[in-house]
Amino acid sequence: MHPFEYHRAATVADAAHAKGRFLAGGTNLVDLMKANVERPARVVDINALPLNAIEDVAGGLRIGALARMSDVAAHPLVQTRFPAIAQALLASASPQLRNAASIGGNLMQRTRCPYFRELIWTPCNKRDPGSGCSALDGDNRMQAVLGTSDHCIALHQSDLAVAVAALDGVLTLRGPGGERAVNAVDFHLLPGKTPQIEHDLKPGELIVSLFLPDAPHAQRSAYLKVRDRTSYEFALASAAVGLQLDNGVIRAARVALGGVGTKPWRSRFAEAALVGQVPSERLFRAAAEAEMKSAKGHGMNDYKIELAKRTLVRALGDLVGGAA
Ligand SMILES: Cc1cc2nc3c(=O)[nH]c(=O)nc-3n(C[C@H](O)[C@H](O)[C@H](O)COP(=O)(O)OP(=O)(O)OC[C@H]3O[C@@H](n4cnc5c(N)ncnc54)[C@H](O)[C@@H]3O)c2cc1C
Ligand code: SF4
């Protein structure tokens, strides 16, 4: 970005400050404002900022935060060097939404937990801290089984964020305090006792861009999403996987799970089980078991534990083709 544009972005960020919200595609923010869940003191339209480029830079690809989901999914460099990203985007929402929605807005989207979105359903610790969690003993079919706490079990819904977590994406953030880089995997936070704090974005800070590092496992990557219907539906379970194979042995593995975590779930236990091994269905199952050991269901969402394992086994199997 040109220094003048940096200044402009910083000024915009400053204008938003603590009680403000940026408006990108508006497909999430406006919905929540209509439902009276989001009540920002200021809404700052950021669409005039020059943040929609998709650039081939040293070591990888830089995607502006305002690039539209459809443009990123269709970009040849994304499709060839980061297929899991393109597939995750194409599996998201609908073509109309993807034309309007931005990369930054997608990563920042809030949960679809029904108790969070409908004010008649109380209590909800995320919307009204300290009030309790209606999903724990309520309708939790869609909610998370990994990274939950006694205060919140809300699912993180973004498909893109899962692929980005798997492929070591890095976010550039800019705000009144300057610019900084954050690994995407550390950007979203576990609910713990403060489910209302969802990410590592300081007041007034703006996501400027997403950097995707090139790697053999990124080039050989894929995203598999399992859902109630094949379009226009959020994940029940999903897996972003990337493998580097060398003489039939897995040299590098990247795995992240979606549809099951309170944040995009980078799956280090699964990765550790895969590296150095010869691909096989038995190995993939062992990796899935290792990752899901800490999973905890809450009744209606118990099925997700087995579904996530099967989704990961299938995604890895599809990726290696006949090799497993
Ligand atoms: C019917 C429906 C189905 C959907 N299905 C899926 C799906 O299957 N998978 C999926 O992943 N998503 C799905 N979505 C969510 C959709 O992808 C998001 O609504 C969209 O990506 C949000 O992007 P936006 O640009 O419209 O964000 P906005 O609504 O403009 O903003 C969302 C939030 O992000 C903040 N924000 C936006 N840009 C920035 C930035 N650059 N820096 C800091 N903060 C920022 C805003 O302040 C706001 O809080 C669905 C949405 C709908 C309505
Ligand atoms: S799971 Fe989280 S978002 Fe849903 S009701 Fe409980 S506290 Fe609210």
Side-chain angles (χ1 to χ4, degrees):
M1 218 193 301
H2 187 278
F4 171 72
E5 297 300 352
Y6 271 131
H7 177 70
R8 209 165 132 210
T11 307
V12 166
D14 208 19
H17 211 59
K19 297 215 167 114
R21 285 280 187 275
F22 297 122
L23 179 81
T27 62
N28 190 231
L29 179 63
V30 174
D31 261 11
L32 291 171
M33 286 173 67
K34 282 192 214 157
N36 222 10
V37 174
E38 290 266 18
R39 293 171 230 177
R42 286 179 190 158
V43 175
V44 181
D45 187 340
I46 56 174
N47 285 288
L49 291 172
L51 298 177
N52 52 9
I54 301 171
E55 299 166 287
D56 196 2
V57 296
L61 215 55
R62 184 168 56 217
I63 301 173
L66 285 170
R68 264 40 199 183
M69 291 168 72
S70 51
D71 293 333
V72 178
H75 200 285
L77 294 181
V78 178
Q79 290 184 347
T80 51
R81 279 152 55 180
F82 306 95
I85 300 286
Q87 290 166 20
L89 286 167
L90 288 174
S92 303
S94 66
Q96 292 88 344
L97 279 161
R98 296 197 294 271
N99 284 341
S102 67
I103 295 301
N106 184 285
L107 298 176
M108 289 287 292
Q109 68 177 279
R110 306 200 70 190
T111 185
R112 316 296 284 197
C113 174
Y115 304 103
F116 172 71
R117 293 175 67 86
E118 302 292 340
L119 288 176
I120 50 166
W121 296 104
T122 52
C124 167
N125 284 326
K126 195 183 273 297
R127 178 169 38 73
D128 184 11
S131 62
C133 173
S134 301
L136 284 172
D137 298 315
D139 177 357
N140 53 43
R141 177 175 178 268
M142 293 297 287
Q143 302 315 320
V145 294
L146 287 166
T148 57
S149 75
D150 292 343
H151 301 265
C152 182
I153 58 171
L155 179 67
H156 194 276
Q157 313 271 175
S158 165
D159 292 294
L160 171 68
V162 177
V164 168
L167 300 185
D168 305 303
V170 179
L171 295 171
T172 296
L173 311 177
R174 178 151 189 100
E179 190 173 287
R180 64 192 178 106
V182 174
N183 289 331
V185 78
D186 301 322
F187 179 71
H188 296 101
L189 305 175
L190 292 171
K193 290 183 180 170
T194 53
Q196 72 278 15
I197 303 172
E198 296 169 355
H199 45 70
D200 177 22
L201 201 65
K202 309 279 181 275
E205 243 178 357
L206 180 75
I207 302 174
V208 171
S209 62
L210 163 68
F211 174 73
L212 296 171
D214 279 317
H217 56 254
Q219 205 157 349
R220 186 185 198 136
S221 67
Y223 186 75
L224 177 66
K225 178 175 179 179
V226 176
R227 44 190 157 167
D228 282 330
R229 56 184 180 191
T230 51
S231 164
Y232 210 25
E233 191 50 273
F234 289 95
L236 299 173
S238 71
V241 291
L243 293 178
Q244 180 187 359
L245 291 172
D246 185 7
N247 285 327
V249 173
I250 298 171
R251 286 290 164 229
R254 293 291 183 278
V255 178
L257 296 174
V260 286
T262 51
K263 58 178 276 183
W265 200 259
R266 177 69 181 262
S267 308
R268 308 268 186 201
F269 292 111
E271 291 174 5
L274 293 169
V275 172
Q277 306 296 324
V278 175
S280 70
E281 190 167 336
R282 182 188 288 243
L283 175 71
F284 299 158
R285 181 76 201 185
E289 293 286 352
E291 193 58 49
M292 297 303 290
K293 231 177 216 161
S294 63
K296 183 179 169 202
H298 287 83
M300 289 176 76
N301 67 352
D302 290 349
Y303 74 97
K304 284 194 172 194
I305 298 173
E306 177 59 24
L307 185 64
K309 292 177 190 172
R310 292 185 190 189
T311 304
L312 179 53
V313 171
R314 165 90 177 271
L316 289 165
D318 287 353
L319 194 63
V320 298

